[in-house]
Amino acid sequence: QSALTQPRSVSGSLGQSVTISCTGSSSDIGAYKYVFWYQQHPGKAPKLMIYDVNKRPSGVPDRFSAFKSGNTASLTISGLQAEDEANYYCCSYAGTYVFGSGTEVTVL
Amino acid sequence: EVQLVESGGGLVQPGGSLRLSCEASGFIFSRYWMHWVRQTPEKGLVWVARLNGDGVGTTYADSVKGRFTISRDNAKNIVYLQMNSLRADDTAVYYCAREGSGSYYTDYWGQGTLVNVSS
């Protein structure tokens, strides 16, 4: 199963918004509601930010939002903060799991 | 507090075997599915295997099927990954992760253990 496609990097200034896309197929993202997003700082373990397309776990700020349309999922970070600078990975479950290629978010 | 601590990584020759362990604490271990996920700079995160709470239901990525075995000891709160016939492209940081309740996401991850397959 091929990795989901994400932009290699996105950047934004403090307080601005950035959106990360995650493109799959009708067999994964397009098929089910099981799309997840993880944040990973260098040298750290991934942290769950979004599950089931658009749900935030307890403790994740509401400036993180997500949605899905067809075979593409998107994560938006509003009001960008310095601590949001990290790598972000999407993930889809459709019997097995496939991760995205990862997107580096830079806060200017 | 949920904690997952991996161990067992190291240097192994191609064709060799290694067993990773992940000790869990802070939750009722037997009630949760557990996963192994690996990561390299080149490929990013790649899901490896998943195991249900009673240790019977397993799923594997095609790339490891027939070579890797996920298992658990609920009395010791440990999940294992037995890796056989190791190849250079199995080199990665291996994470164990807990699956959340009610869906398929992984909500807690360990800090990872490095496996280096090299002669």
Side-chain angles (χ1 to χ4, degrees):
Chain A
Q1 202 169 10
S2 300
L4 306 174
T5 301
Q6 297 181 234
R8 183 175 294 273
S9 64
V10 300
S11 62
S13 299
L14 277 172
Q16 286 189 331
S17 295
V18 295
T19 296
I20 303 167
S21 61
C22 170
T23 302
S25 70
S26 57
S27 299
D28 41 58
I29 290 181
Y32 302 99
K33 69 174 184 177
Y34 305 119
V35 180
F36 323 122
W37 289 90
Y38 297 90
Q39 176 194 66
Q40 187 180 33
H41 289 103
K44 300 294 186 182
K47 174 186 176 183
L48 180 70
M49 303 301 285
I50 296 285
Y51 68 97
D52 294 357
V53 175
N54 57 10
K55 297 177 182 176
R56 281 188 311 276
S58 174
V60 172
D62 60 5
R63 52 200 179 76
F64 288 88
S65 62
F67 72 98
K68 183 187 80 162
S69 178
N71 299 336
T72 298
S74 298
L75 173 72
T76 296
I77 310 173
S78 304
L80 208 54
Q81 303 292 308
E83 60 264 31
D84 299 335
E85 187 163 289
N87 291 296
Y88 291 82
Y89 295 89
C90 58
C91 178
S92 173
Y93 172 75
T96 58
Y97 294 77
V98 59
F99 282 90
S101 45
T103 298
E104 181 179 27
V105 170
T106 301
V107 181
L108 303 172
Chain B
E1 179 193 4
V2 173
Q3 285 197 324
L4 300 169
V5 180
E6 302 94 337
S7 60
L11 177 63
V12 60
Q13 292 190 337
S17 297
L18 207 58
R19 188 177 80 160
L20 306 182
S21 300
C22 170
E23 186 167 358
S25 60
F27 62 101
I28 302 175
F29 181 66
S30 61
R31 293 186 181 177
Y32 289 84
W33 291 69
M34 297 296 295
H35 296 242
W36 287 97
V37 180
R38 65 188 182 186
Q39 185 174 31
T40 64
E42 299 77 25
K43 294 185 178 180
L45 292 167
V46 176
W47 175 78
V48 173
R50 176 181 184 239
L51 177 65
N52 71 349
D54 61 17
V56 174
T58 58
T59 316
Y60 296 94
D62 286 344
S63 58
V64 307
K65 205 172 291 184
R67 300 188 300 125
F68 289 13
T69 302
I70 186 172
S71 63
R72 64 195 297 160
D73 183 334
N74 285 342
K76 296 181 179 179
N77 287 2
I78 298 177
V79 60
Y80 302 100
L81 186 67
Q82 177 68 43
M83 304 186 294
N84 299 331
S85 302
L86 282 161
R87 312 185 301 225
D89 63 358
D90 294 317
T91 295
V93 173
Y94 283 74
Y95 294 99
C96 74
R98 188 188 83 165
E99 185 171 314
S101 298
S103 184
Y104 297 97
Y105 56 86
T106 47
D107 57 357
Y108 288 92
W109 295 56
Q111 288 304 304
T113 186
L114 176 62
V115 172
N116 185 1
V117 184
S118 174
S119 53

